[in-house]
Structures are given as C-alpha cells and as structure tokens.
Amino acid sequence: MVEDYSMVEDMPDFAQWVDANAGAFDFSDYIHAQVVQGRMTTDVLGALVGWLWPQLLEVGGLIVLASKKDKLPLLKSQGLSDGEVEYWCNFTNIDGMLPGVPVSFTGHLAHIVHDMWSAKLQSEFPSKQFRVSAIEPRDKNELSVTFQQKR
C-alpha cells in the first residue's frame, strides 16, 4: 500500500463537491448529499457496511463470512483442508467486484478491508488467531482479500 496515497485522488466527484463548498465538506456531507439525491440507497450503504464489517459465523469449527456460508458444502466436498475451505469461502476479489475502479483505489481498499476484517475477527473470536490476507499480484490485477484461522 502506498503510504502517501489519498483516496480523494481517485474521487473526482467528491473533489468537485469539496471545491464547490470551499473545502468545508467531508465524507459524511458527501454521503448525505448522495442519499438526498437518490444516488446512494439504503441497500447500497447496507451492503457496503456489511462487507466492510461483516457478520461472521462459526460452522463446525470453521469461521466464515455469513454471506458466503452456502459455499461450504461444495468446498468441503472437494477434499480441501479446513484452512483451504475457509480461505476460499471467505475469498473476495475486489477488482471483480469493482470493475473500472482505479487500481490505486482498490489497492488501498484491500488494505482497509484487511484491517477491518482483522479487527472484526479479533473482537468476535478473541481466543482464535487468524491470517487475513490482502492479495496483490505483481501486475496489481485481481486484488483480493480473504481470511482463515491459523492452525
């Protein structure tokens, strides 16, 4: 992750709002404006929050994203280890989810998700240890995040 990167660099609409309001405008003001204009629905906001701070389940000793628990039977049937099942069940490809979003932004987002999922896992399962991964291939395509228990 680039330490001096600011998401605002890849947010031209937000930057226009800030300029139009002489800099007295922040993310909460922008979100408010988007909701008022109908450009951000409760569903979109809820899905974003639910992805960043997800509901987690423990199923047969496995810790998985509740939204992806239906993948468990197929993954278990493939003879994978518990760690591999968790890895692939919790795997999310950010570029695939956000086509057309600049790689600089998705790379930064991958690290934010890494930190948020790490905090969520630690808060809900303090006696367990996890490996949370922000996966960045050399070509910066296919940025992904996932987690699994350390065994």
Side-chain angles (χ1 to χ4, degrees), residues 13-139:
D13 189 57
F14 176 79
Q16 288 178 352
W17 278 85
V18 171
D19 289 345
N21 288 279
F25 195 79
D26 69 5
F27 290 130
S28 62
D29 296 320
Y30 183 76
I31 292 167
H32 170 79
Q34 299 308 305
V35 171
V36 168
Q37 293 178 358
R39 293 173 62 182
M40 177 178 264
T41 65
T42 303
D43 291 341
V44 171
L45 187 56
L48 180 61
V49 170
W51 178 60
L52 292 171
W53 196 255
Q55 180 183 1
L56 302 168
L57 296 176
E58 184 167 6
V59 180
L62 302 174
I63 308 299
V64 297
L65 298 167
S67 62
K68 295 188 173 191
K69 71 179 184 309
D70 293 341
K71 290 183 169 188
L72 283 174
L74 176 62
L75 290 168
K76 286 181 177 183
S77 74
Q78 295 175 351
L80 301 173
S81 70
D82 286 350
E84 291 169 323
V85 170
E86 286 177 332
Y87 180 96
W88 290 112
C89 189
N90 298 317
F91 186 90
T92 302
N93 177 271
I94 295 175
D95 292 323
M97 184 174 73
L98 302 171
V101 174
V103 172
S104 53
F105 189 94
T106 56
H108 187 70
L109 180 59
H111 289 280
I112 290 170
V113 173
H114 170 278
D115 293 349
M116 292 185 77
W117 284 9
S118 294
K120 177 72 170 184
L121 288 159
Q122 184 177 349
S123 72
E124 289 200 19
F125 303 97
S127 64
K128 297 182 184 292
Q129 292 188 327
F130 295 90
R131 181 177 299 107
V132 182
S133 302
I135 304 157
E136 291 185 81
R138 283 194 176 97
D139 64 3

